[in-house]
Amino acid sequence: MNRIPVQLPGGKEIALSPGGQNTLIVQIIREFCERYTPRGEVLYIGDADKKWAIFEEEALAQLGVTVDSHGKMPDVVVFLREKNWLVLIEAASSHGPVDSKRHRELSELFRGSTAGLVFISALPSRVELRKYLKEIAWETDVWCADNPTHLIHFNGERFLGPYN
């Protein structure tokens, strides 16, 4: 089966299955991470056919996060060591954005984190964003792959950062 090659920050290479949201996940790694989480450590990537494509269980545990195989992980988790942020990215092409329900679920799943949590909804396009605009949770950010140099910030006191 054809797989989609992707190079993670730091140089490690993986291959994702071509289905589901993986095309968007590749864009997240190549475009979003390069711009907004440079030198970030990818601790988790969910693959459409293999849920745990990357799962740095020990690194997450060191940050106070323990996840079992039933945990509803975001599609991508990136750790920014210099800012002590965990960036939780939902590829909203299939299951939707970080809405208030998903925000609560992720906050609960990552409740033990010693790093601040940053919530990102990644969408393929601004056209796709229109479908979800009224659902997106406050104090989150949105990134659209068709406009990779821009973030859309949903209220709050700061741009791209955790809230207490």
Side-chain angles (χ1 to χ4, degrees):
M1 182 166 75
N2 291 337
R3 298 194 57 85
I4 306 169
V6 62
Q7 184 174 16
L8 303 178
K12 181 177 180 178
E13 292 194 21
I14 64 168
L16 299 173
S17 64
Q21 76 277 2
N22 284 352
T23 302
L24 181 55
I25 288 176
V26 169
Q27 291 174 295
I28 291 167
I29 300 301
R30 291 181 181 162
E31 299 283 339
F32 177 88
C33 289
E34 183 177 312
R35 285 180 175 85
Y36 301 104
T37 62
R39 296 172 306 284
E41 301 165 40
V42 177
L43 302 183
Y44 175 83
I45 295 177
D47 188 342
D49 81 2
K50 180 181 155 189
K51 183 176 179 182
W52 309 88
I54 297 284
F55 181 45
E56 301 296 341
E57 187 173 14
E58 187 176 313
L60 283 165
Q62 289 174 358
L63 293 168
V65 178
T66 55
V67 179
D68 65 29
S69 61
H70 301 291
K72 294 174 81 175
M73 292 290 283
D75 295 301
V76 178
V77 176
V78 180
F79 178 52
L80 283 174
R81 189 171 299 279
E82 67 272 6
K83 293 184 178 186
N84 195 35
W85 292 357
L86 270 179
V87 182
L88 312 178
I89 307 167
E90 285 286 352
S93 59
S94 56
H95 299 299
V98 179
D99 59 12
S100 58
K101 178 180 182 260
R102 186 66 174 134
H103 191 280
R104 282 190 306 275
E105 290 172 352
L106 290 173
S107 295
E108 179 63 21
L109 185 64
F110 288 85
R111 72 182 172 278
S113 175
T114 57
L117 303 179
V118 179
F119 300 88
I120 305 289
S121 296
L123 293 113
S125 68
R126 289 173 64 190
V127 170
E128 190 75 12
L129 171 62
R130 283 187 224 147
K131 295 179 192 177
Y132 299 112
L133 203 52
K134 66 182 179 182
E135 299 172 29
I136 295 169
W138 295 113
E139 283 74 46
T140 68
D141 292 280
V142 173
W143 177 80
C144 297
D146 67 342
N147 288 273
T149 60
H150 293 78
L151 283 176
I152 302 166
H153 180 67
F154 277 75
N155 205 4
E157 60 197 39
R158 66 177 62 85
F159 295 103
L160 190 61
Y163 289 84
N164 294 330

